[in-house]
Every structure is written in C-alpha cells, then in structure tokens.
Amino acid sequence: MKYNQLGESDLKVSEICLGTMTYGQQNTIEDAHLQLDYAVRQGINFIDTAEMYPVPSRAETQGRTEVFIGEWLKKQQRDKLIIATKIAGPGRPMTWLRGGATSIKSENIKQAVDDSLKRLQTDYIDLYQIHWPERYVPTFGQTEYNPNFERETVPIAEQLAAFADVIKEGKIRYLGLSNETPWGVTQFSQIAKQLGLPKVVAIQNAYNLLNRVFDSALAEACRYENIGLLAYSPLGFGLLSGKYVEGNRPENTRLTLFANFGQRYLKPNVSEAVTAYVEIAHSHNLKPSQLAIAFVISRWFVTSTIVGATTLEQLQENIDSVNVTLDKEILAELNAVHTRYPNPAP
C-alpha cells in the first residue's frame, strides 16, 4: 500500500480509501467491522463516510453508517486513522436531516459536525467535505447546466468562514469538496486565499473508465490549486466488475435492489463500453474489477481511490488491485475503447 499527500494538508492517505455507504443497508454492523478490520490489516488508513449514509438515504437509516463506524472506531488507535465524512447540501428532499435545514450555513454546519462526531464517537474529523455544492449545479449524471434551476445560495466566503470557526474549535482538521465543478474549485481556492480562510485540500468526484470527465478542466483546476482527487465509484456502480454483462442481475446489488438507482449508468453505449473493458481484462488474465481500479489508481491526479463492497470477498479483490500494474499496451487498449465510447456515464 502506498501513501500520498492530500493536497496542502499534512495528511498522508492510503492509495485505497474504504468507502462505507452500504453499511446499515446492505451490510450489517458485523459485516462492517469485518471489512474495517480487514482494510486496516491491508494498510488502509483512510475511511470515508457521510451523514446521509447509508444509501439510498432514508429517515429510518440516516446516520447508521457513522454509528457502525463509531462502534468500531472507539476501539482503534485514533491517530493512526484518517476519517472523512460529509455534510449534505440543499436541493434534495431529505427533510429528516435537521428538519430539512441543509443549506451550508453556520448553524447547520455546527449541528452536522456535532452530530457526526457523536455518531463516530470521536473528538475530531480529519477531512470534512461538502457532499455536493450549496449552489445549483448538475450532479449525479446530469450534464447540462440550466440557469432556470439556480437558487438562492450561501456565498462561498460565508461557507468558508463558518468552516473556519469549526476548525478553530478543533472539531475538523481539513475541508474538502465533492461533486464539484472547475468553477467551484477555483472559487473556493481563490476566496480562501483572498480572505485568509481555510483552503480546500481535496475533491471527491466520480471517476472511472465510463466517466473520465475529470480528465480535462477539473484536472487542470485541481493541479493549479493543489487539490487531490478522491475518486469515487471506480467500478461504475459495479458495472465494471463485469457482473452485469449480458443482462445479468445479481441479487443484493444496488441496481437490482433499488429502482431508479444509478441512472447515469443506464445511458446509451454504457453496456457496449463495459463489455469492451471486460474483454480487455480477460485477454490479459486480469479480473475486470482489478483492471478498472488499477486504471483509476494509475492516474496522475488521483490521490486515493474509494472502494466499497457488500462482501468481504469483493473487498479483498478490490484492494488487491494495488498489486496490478497496467503496461502501455493495456492502457492503449483502454484508451481505444474510450475513444470509441467517450464518457458514456458522465
């Protein structure tokens, strides 16, 4: 396991981060603790969660993922681990979160942080992320910006000032973004510099063989602002594992269990691209999941790749991808498929 510096922070995070959004829905607390123990034994020091987890988010289960992690975390050597969580933003009908108070303003931030600390049973959060922007932006498979959807928003300077207060209190160490745009990255960075407020050190966006949107403008913005990518969904909702090839629908998977989930992966050319990538893996005697994750790890702008699993066997396979090195021949074949089917699931 390799460890990479996260932006301008003093955090050195494992190249694989353990994602946890199935804990409390598809995974029991016993499952969760087995996965956490195994991940740490493999050298993973970085664990990511969110206040709205597990997914799909529901009033009955909201916060359960952090509770499961907290029950495990209280028995660990805290300073050896890097814990990341997220505050949900506005624009989604989650009235069970603070009575629907999800704008990124001071009182909501403080409440969200305190609630996460309590569930996680810890005194501080290493990386605290805005799960999606306060302002309107196309997210989670939407690709077209529509000015008609713009809404009243908390200014970025005000958001940063509120986070500065929580950082001064020692409750969070560093700030990150998620599902953000190039404009947002540069605005957060420049306003922080101008006003002497906390600088964002990370961005958590989707990145995989089916969605390489980050390759262009976001890669440039993050390079110049020294912000590390935490790549989520490296298996494209599990499609790149090959388990859905030829119309298969395995039990206990998100696309099977939850109707209308993962719409970005139901678009034209997705199945064709997946089939092509799976064939490349097989032709080189690689498991499709390990090919897909190894590709993400290999990208110069990726600081850590977030993997999640519903079974320990899946997690073992995913983590083993750190031992896979993709040569120029394989990368050329992957790029050829990308040229044929560019970003079918952005």
Side-chain angles (χ1 to χ4, degrees):
M1 188 68 63
K2 297 177 182 176
Y3 301 87
N4 299 318
Q5 203 79 31
L6 183 57
E8 295 179 11
S9 76
D10 64 357
L11 303 176
K12 294 203 75 172
V13 298
S14 48
E15 60 184 329
I16 292 284
C17 172
L18 180 62
T20 62
M21 71 179 186
T22 58
Y23 296 0
Q25 179 67 48
Q26 292 167 267
N27 290 102
T28 65
I29 191 168
E30 292 79 13
D31 295 334
H33 292 182
L34 284 172
Q35 287 195 14
L36 288 158
D37 286 339
Y38 179 80
V40 169
R41 288 198 302 271
Q42 302 311 304
I44 289 176
N45 69 348
F46 193 17
I47 299 160
D48 180 71
T49 187
E51 68 168 351
M52 65 166 277
Y53 288 172
V55 294
S57 187
R58 298 182 294 128
E60 298 81 3
T61 57
Q62 182 267 318
R64 191 179 289 173
T65 304
E66 289 184 329
V67 170
F68 283 12
I69 295 170
E71 285 297 313
W72 174 84
L73 188 59
K74 69 181 182 181
K75 303 172 186 176
Q76 310 304 312
Q77 191 171 343
R78 178 67 181 87
D79 62 354
K80 299 296 184 182
L81 297 167
I82 296 169
I83 305 298
T85 192
K86 313 178 196 76
I87 181 173
R92 293 180 174 272
M94 292 188 289
T95 55
W96 52 87
L97 274 171
R98 292 175 294 284
T102 53
S103 62
I104 311 298
K105 59 183 180 180
S106 181
E107 56 264 40
N108 294 339
I109 291 169
K110 290 178 179 179
Q111 184 66 56
V113 168
D114 286 344
D115 289 346
S116 285
L117 288 172
K118 183 177 180 180
R119 288 189 292 262
L120 289 166
Q121 300 193 51
T122 185
D123 295 328
Y124 65 95
I125 295 160
D126 297 283
L127 178 66
Y128 197 66
Q129 303 153 102
I130 303 172
H131 206 150
W132 55 86
E134 221 284 338
R135 68 193 189 280
Y136 155 73
V137 296
T139 53
F140 304 114
Q142 299 171 343
T143 56
E144 181 180 347
Y145 187 90
N146 186 340
N148 293 327
F149 294 155
E150 291 174 357
R151 57 178 178 252
E152 186 176 350
T153 187
V154 178
I156 289 174
E158 186 176 328
Q159 294 178 54
L160 287 171
F163 285 116
D165 291 340
V166 183
I167 290 173
K168 289 175 185 175
E169 293 174 357
K171 294 181 179 179
I172 65 175
R173 296 178 65 191
Y174 295 102
L175 181 63
L177 303 172
S178 185
N179 299 297
E180 206 23 296
T181 68
W183 185 88
V185 166
T186 54
Q187 286 294 299
F188 268 92
S189 296
Q190 294 305 311
I191 290 171
K193 291 174 185 176
Q194 292 166 6
L195 301 180
L197 293 170
K199 185 180 183 300
V200 167
V201 301
I203 179 173
Q204 184 176 148
N205 276 34
Y207 187 81
N208 54 59
L209 286 167
L210 303 172
N211 178 4
R212 294 173 56 174
V213 173
F214 198 96
D215 282 350
S216 55
L218 270 165
E220 178 190 24
C222 290
R223 171 172 166 77
Y224 282 111
E225 301 299 345
N226 195 12
I227 292 173
L229 173 62
L230 310 178
Y232 77 78
S233 202
L235 292 179
F237 240 59
L239 269 72
L240 289 165
S241 70
K243 62 187 176 184
Y244 295 106
V245 169
E246 297 180 350
N248 290 329
R249 282 282 176 168
E251 295 181 357
N252 199 34
T253 64
R254 281 170 285 168
L255 290 179
T256 302
L257 291 173
F258 311 118
N260 301 317
F261 213 43
Q263 292 295 308
R264 75 202 301 173
Y265 299 107
L266 302 177
K267 296 178 179 179
N269 294 327
V270 169
S271 61
E272 291 85 352
V274 168
T275 298
Y277 289 127
V278 169
E279 288 174 353
I280 291 172
H282 290 159
S283 71
H284 292 277
N285 297 314
L286 293 171
K287 294 179 178 178
S289 60
Q290 293 181 335
L291 172 76
I293 294 171
F295 170 76
V296 176
I297 292 173
S298 74
R299 306 299 282 163
W300 63 266
F301 44 74
V302 173
T303 300
S304 188
T305 302
I306 302 171
V307 304
T310 51
T311 70
L312 191 58
E313 292 74 22
Q314 289 172 338
L315 182 62
Q316 291 168 342
E317 183 175 302
N318 292 347
I319 294 174
D320 284 347
S321 61
V322 299
N323 299 314
V324 175
T325 301
L326 304 181
D327 60 27
K328 291 181 179 179
E329 178 187 353
I330 298 175
L331 290 172
E333 291 178 30
L334 295 176
N335 283 330
V337 175
H338 176 63
T339 299
R340 192 158 71 247
Y341 305 112
N343 296 323

